[in-house]
Amino acid sequence: MESTGGTSAPPPADAEVHRRLVYGDESALAEVYAAYGGLVRRVAVRVTRSPAAAEDVAQEVFAHLWSRPYTFDASRGSLRTWLSVLAHRRAVDWVRSEARHRKDAGADDSALQAIPDAGPGPDETVVDRECSLLLHTALAELPQPQREVVHLAYFAGRTYRQAAVELGIPEGTAKTRLRSALRSLAETLADPPDPALERGA
């Protein structure tokens, strides 16, 4: 898929373009790429710091959308946010893969670490806000007992044992509530739970 340059086309209506993608309409994919290809590459460059890698990530992202359009749910968020989150995940996978290769080769990555991280541009800032809104919406839908444990374990940095003490509940109950909450959040956000959230488990 070739780059469309720096100018983005007007974004298509998410539900309509999704319907067309499901039915295999190639022009729908072209519209999505024209509208969001630049954003996807910018998100990928921000993570990988490599324009070439960002192009590869963009190819993977749009190939995924084309081959598995049903993984996007227009009722749960915008296509813009979904593509950006997917681009970020694929870019992180690329960075991790490169890190493993460097380690295997015994390469010194100190020069890479010294490169300053590029700050987010206007598009990425909007996406960050949308992702934050999705997370907080998902949290608000949790039952209050689960929400309390997640707040202490994630936002306040407590282990589930510390959360249990603060809430005055058994450790096993706190652990069960945390795991149930993480499963619910994972389903809502269509992303596996972060094992780091289960500190002390």
Side-chain angles (χ1 to χ4, degrees):
M1 190 175 295
E2 295 181 358
S3 171
T4 57
T7 303
S8 295
D14 288 354
E16 174 60 20
V17 78
H18 181 243
R19 181 189 66 79
R20 290 164 58 199
L21 285 167
V22 169
Y23 280 96
D25 185 346
E26 293 185 8
S27 65
L29 181 65
E31 289 177 24
V32 174
Y33 187 80
Y36 301 122
L39 173 62
V40 167
R41 288 192 297 274
R42 286 194 297 274
V43 170
V45 165
R46 184 176 159 196
V47 176
T48 65
R49 299 171 181 169
S50 166
E55 289 292 343
D56 290 342
V57 168
Q59 295 281 349
E60 291 182 16
V61 167
F62 288 101
H64 177 91
L65 176 63
W66 175 247
S67 63
R68 301 176 64 191
Y70 51 83
T71 57
F72 167 67
D73 184 350
S75 68
R76 293 168 63 181
S78 70
L79 181 59
R80 174 194 185 93
T81 298
W82 186 84
L83 288 170
S84 299
V85 171
L86 182 58
H88 185 272
R89 291 176 190 155
R90 294 297 174 91
V92 168
D93 288 343
W94 182 90
V95 170
R96 288 173 176 166
S97 176
E98 286 298 298
R100 285 194 296 269
H101 291 160
R102 287 197 305 270
K103 182 178 180 181
D104 291 342
D108 181 7
D109 62 352
S110 58
L112 262 181
Q113 294 174 351
I115 299 176
D117 190 11
D123 286 332
E124 290 90 331
T125 300
V126 171
V127 168
D128 288 345
R129 284 201 299 267
E130 291 182 358
C131 291
S132 178
L133 179 60
L134 287 175
L135 174 60
H136 285 287
T137 300
L139 285 170
E141 294 174 354
L142 292 175
Q144 183 176 351
Q146 294 182 10
R147 193 164 60 246
E148 290 174 341
V149 177
V150 170
H151 175 78
L152 289 173
Y154 185 60
F155 297 102
R158 307 291 198 273
T159 66
Y160 76 85
R161 292 186 177 90
Q162 293 169 332
V165 172
E166 293 194 28
L167 294 172
I169 59 178
E171 290 183 3
T173 301
K175 186 174 183 179
T176 298
R177 288 180 185 177
L178 179 58
R179 286 181 168 171
S180 296
L182 293 177
R183 281 196 296 270
S184 296
L185 289 174
E187 292 172 0
T188 301
L189 300 174
D191 187 31
D194 185 354
L197 298 186
E198 296 190 81
R199 288 184 302 272

